[in-house]
């Protein structure tokens, strides 16, 4: 299964939250997520070709007093928001060893992304409302599909954006790691 995403910058977070409530969604508690992202050593600038390459992430997630740690490997497919992804929960005490393994495998610490996230689902579409440190408010829509379904899923996600009042001009075509890199390096 491939994860297909669509992302947009939110100009009015409260309006989108209200629209979700009008659609009958219960808004759950916020999760804190701290993502440490590793890139292959031979890619220093996100302007390079990223598709078909593996990227690694360790996520620390907190919901109230509960903490969990998740290792993810992603391989970008057609664009940065379409990927094959595998995840496994890990123990906190294993993280330093994993970071060392990443370096031995030829990966380096690219960036860290901190965010507050609210998740909800409409059918098989996951809606994520994110407040990302140093970047602002975003909405992500995620759906899983088979090879060859990305185009149809993107149309479905764009239709959901339309229902939420989000315009194409607000779409974002990069992950938070590249957005963070661009912000820190004054690139757009």
């Amino acid at each position: 299964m491939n994860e297909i995403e669509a992302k947009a910058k939110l100009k009015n977070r409260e309006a989108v939250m209200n629209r979700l409530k009008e659609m009958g969604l219960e808004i759950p508690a916020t999760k804190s997520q701290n993502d440490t992202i590793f890139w292959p050593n031979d890619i220093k600038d996100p302007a390079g070709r990223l598709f078909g390459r593996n990227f690694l992430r360790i996520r620390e997630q907190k919901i109230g007093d509960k903490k969990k740690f998740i290792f993810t490997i992603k391989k970008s497919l057609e664009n940065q928001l379409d990927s094959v992804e595998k995840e496994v929960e890990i123990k906190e005490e294993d993280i330093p060893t994993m970071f060392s393994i990443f370096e031995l495998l030829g990966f380096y610490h690219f960036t860290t992304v901190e965010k507050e996230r609210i998740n909800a689902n409409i059918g098989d579409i996951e809606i994520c409302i994110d407040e990302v440190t140093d970047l602002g408010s975003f909405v992500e829509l995620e759906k899983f599909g088979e090879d060859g379904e990305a185009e149809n899923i993107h149309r479905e996600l764009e239709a959901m954006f339309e229902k939420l009042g989000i315009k194409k001009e607000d779409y974002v075509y990069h992950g938070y790691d590249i957005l963070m890199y661009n912000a820190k390096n004054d690139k757009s």
Side-chain angles (χ1 to χ4, degrees), residues 155-171:
R155 280 196 290 274
E156 187 179 348
L157 299 178
E158 287 175 4
M160 179 62 70
F161 272 159
E162 194 172 309
K163 288 179 186 176
L164 295 173
I166 295 167
K167 299 180 182 306
K168 279 192 183 233
E169 65 201 40
D170 297 320
Y171 290 10

Side-chain angles (χ1 to χ4, degrees), residues 5-58:
E5 293 182 17
K7 184 183 314 235
K9 180 86 168 134
L10 287 179
K11 290 181 178 171
N12 188 337
R13 183 178 189 271
E14 205 55 42
V16 171
M17 295 295 286
N18 288 335
R19 183 67 190 119
L20 290 171
K21 289 175 189 171
E22 289 169 8
M23 295 168 85
L25 289 177
E26 290 187 32
I27 306 300
T30 299
K31 302 175 187 177
S32 295
Q33 295 179 333
N34 185 351
D35 295 342
T36 305
I37 300 160
F38 287 77
W39 277 34
N41 282 339
D42 63 326
I43 302 176
K44 301 297 182 198
D45 185 341
R49 179 151 171 77
L50 307 178
F51 312 121
R53 302 298 303 273
N54 291 327
F55 300 88
L56 310 176
R57 175 183 73 207
I58 299 284

Side-chain angles (χ1 to χ4, degrees), residues 81-164:
L81 300 180
D82 296 344
S83 63
V84 175
E85 174 177 305
K86 301 291 182 194
E87 293 184 337
V88 65
E89 193 166 341
I90 61 172
K91 296 177 184 171
E92 183 174 13
E93 58 267 18
D94 293 335
I95 292 172
T97 302
M98 293 198 69
F99 286 171
S100 295
I101 290 170
F102 296 170
E103 290 174 5
L104 287 171
L105 289 171
F107 288 80
Y108 71 100
H109 175 231
F110 180 69
T111 194
T112 300
V113 176
E114 296 176 18
K115 64 182 174 282
E116 298 292 318
R117 171 170 277 184
I118 297 171
N119 294 73
N121 285 60
I122 295 179
D124 55 359
I125 296 174
E126 182 178 20
I127 300 169
C128 304
I129 306 293
D130 294 332
E131 189 63 39
V132 183
T133 302
D134 298 329
L135 295 178
S137 297
F138 294 84
V139 59
E140 265 186 12
L141 303 178
E142 300 175 356
K143 182 173 177 174
F144 286 91
E146 300 296 335
D147 289 343
E149 293 182 327
E151 191 174 320
N152 288 335
I153 290 173
H154 274 289
R155 280 196 290 274
E156 187 179 348
L157 299 178
E158 287 175 4
M160 179 62 70
F161 272 159
E162 194 172 309
K163 288 179 186 176
L164 295 173

